[in-house]
Amino acid sequence: MAGSASRPSDSRTGRNSPDGTVGIIANPVSGRDVRRVAARGAVSTTEDKRNRIARAVIGAVTAGATRIVAMAEPFGIATGALTDLRIDAEIEIVDVGATVSPADTIRAVEAMRARDVSVLVTLGGDGTNRTISGVWPEATLVPMSTGTNNVFPSLTEPTVAGAAAGLVATGVVDPEACAPQSKLITVTSGSGTSQDGEPARGWTEIALVDAVTLADDFVGNRMPADGARLRQVLVSRAHPASIGLSSLAGLLQPCSFEDDAGVLVECGPGGRPMRVALAPGLYRTVPVIDHRSVELGETVELWGPAVLSLDGDRERTIGPDEAVIADVQRCGPRVVDVDRALELGAAAGVFETSRAPTGDRALNEASNVHYHHADGTPIRDCC
């Protein structure tokens, strides 16, 4: 709120102490990109996202959340979902000047962090959560899926996902017991020559699920990967039932969220062919040369010339003599285990009450909604 004092964060973790505040970040364009044309991924509409947010917020408030902070954006997803909800919680809509670009998520996360949000409920795919993690790696997340490959976020019903967020945000459930820290892939370049022959500057990128090199591809390509162009696939987790680039490693050497390791797969001409679900309804043949486990902190060299894909998005080129290394470490955001959080909340008797905090307001009684700029100043006369 404008003028409110910030509560202290845990100096050891950078996380805010629980006070019942749940943040909502919805990517308005997730589940709507060109990959729906190239493959057969489901389309997530604006109305569907509003409905999911409303269900998550009702769950969070029922579990004890007292404050909801959400981002305003041109599609009106959060505002459409929250403005007319009759719930016993304070709602703040933050205007970060969204223009439907990746920078919107960055500004939204910065605003959430400044407002002492305890838990973030995210609506998007692997790329959305990667952006959030890059800005706030100490965050505690409840990621709900609307993206293409859906490896990092889950397909949990939003009602119970929101309830889990509320339980952690209020401190009823200890994140140490139900929100383990995730693994993160860090890719770092030193010096060398870029793919177009220009001197390459040093840079660092992250990925939550997979960092992949592709031959003869280009930055910004949104189409599903061509299996014949895969060269190296480094994953933090992998399962045969996944969709996307990490599913290749899952077919060869599964690696779970809990395993203190990653997997590296080398691909290219001469490798044995494998059929891999690289996108929904889209199998492609990938020539596999070798694969092995990668210990946490172990350095892996990535070769150029290639395009670097991070969680399915082609982000950078790697030059022919550019020195690029990657590793997997357990230094990512905490991710709430929804099932475990609900088990602990039920055992604590949170839901044993006759009070219905999300349904007791009269039909003509509006929720307490505040509209603020990112700096906290009111947009309208609401405070």
Side-chain angles (χ1 to χ4, degrees):
M1 297 300 301
S4 64
S6 295
R7 59 195 165 85
S9 62
D10 188 324
S11 60
R12 297 167 299 170
T13 64
R15 299 194 308 275
N16 291 323
S17 302
D19 76 338
T21 302
V22 173
I24 307 288
I25 292 182
N27 182 348
V29 297
S30 67
R32 299 170 65 92
D33 60 44
V34 70
R35 284 172 286 194
R36 269 74 193 159
V37 177
R40 289 175 173 80
V43 176
S44 180
T45 66
T46 296
E47 190 56 41
D48 174 61
K49 291 173 183 175
R50 286 176 183 154
N51 186 279
R52 292 188 190 206
I53 289 175
R55 284 144 61 192
V57 169
I58 288 170
V61 175
T62 300
T66 56
R67 182 176 172 223
I68 305 296
V69 182
M71 179 186 75
E73 37 71 36
F75 287 73
I77 293 173
T79 52
L82 302 179
T83 301
D84 295 329
L85 280 185
R86 289 175 288 275
I87 55 175
D88 283 338
E90 182 179 358
I91 299 173
E92 180 180 6
I93 305 295
V94 182
D95 186 351
V96 297
T99 59
V100 194
S101 76
D104 298 345
T105 301
I106 294 173
R107 292 193 295 270
V109 176
E110 291 170 344
M112 299 288 174
R113 191 174 192 175
R115 282 160 174 76
D116 304 324
V117 166
S118 299
V119 179
L120 277 177
V121 175
T122 67
L123 197 61
D126 294 343
T128 302
N129 288 283
R130 177 170 66 89
T131 300
I132 292 169
S133 302
V135 179
W136 194 2
E138 305 89 4
T140 299
L141 306 180
V142 178
M144 299 192 301
S145 174
T146 59
T148 303
N149 296 333
N150 307 323
V151 176
F152 187 82
S154 70
L155 292 171
T156 305
E157 158 60 34
T159 310
V160 294
L167 291 169
V168 175
T170 56
V172 172
V173 171
D174 186 350
E176 294 290 341
C178 69
Q181 191 171 25
S182 60
K183 292 179 280 188
L184 200 67
I185 300 172
T186 303
V187 185
T188 305
S189 168
S191 60
T193 304
S194 66
Q195 199 163 352
D196 58 10
E198 297 295 323
R201 298 179 180 179
W203 47 264
T204 299
E205 298 279 6
I206 64 167
L208 290 168
V209 178
D210 54 67
V212 178
T213 56
L214 302 104
D216 303 318
D217 211 311
F218 59 92
V219 171
N221 185 3
R222 303 293 292 174
M223 300 295 284
D226 182 341
R229 295 181 178 180
L230 295 182
R231 291 297 177 264
Q232 293 168 284
V233 179
L234 177 63
V235 303
S236 65
R237 66 173 81 177
H239 192 276
S242 296
I243 295 289
L245 296 170
S246 70
S247 66
L248 169 62
L251 295 170
L252 296 164
Q253 187 169 335
C255 180
S256 72
F257 181 99
E258 295 79 15
D259 291 336
D260 286 329
V263 177
L264 175 66
V265 183
E266 296 181 11
C267 311
R272 75 180 191 276
M274 294 196 65
R275 296 293 282 174
V276 183
L278 294 181
L282 185 68
Y283 275 88
R284 288 291 182 261
T285 300
V286 178
V288 175
I289 296 173
D290 198 7
H291 70 277
R292 66 179 180 86
S293 178
V294 175
E295 297 181 0
L296 294 187
E298 177 184 348
T299 298
V300 173
E301 182 180 358
L302 302 183
W303 319 313
V307 166
L308 176 64
S309 169
L310 301 164
D311 292 332
D313 296 326
R314 280 85 147 185
E315 297 283 5
R316 287 187 177 272
T317 60
I318 300 175
D321 64 347
E322 191 173 355
V324 177
I325 58 172
D327 63 18
V328 182
Q329 299 192 46
R330 196 171 290 281
C331 59
R334 288 185 174 272
V335 179
V336 176
D337 181 330
V338 172
D339 290 351
R340 181 58 178 156
L342 266 293
E343 290 169 359
L344 294 172
V350 172
F351 302 98
E352 296 177 12
T353 174
S354 60
R355 180 175 178 268
T358 61
D360 278 351
R361 289 185 177 273
L363 290 178
N364 61 353
E365 185 178 356
S367 297
N368 187 17
V369 183
H370 301 268
Y371 297 84
H372 291 158
H373 294 289
D375 64 3
T377 58
I379 294 175
R380 59 184 72 174
D381 186 16
C382 61
C383 300

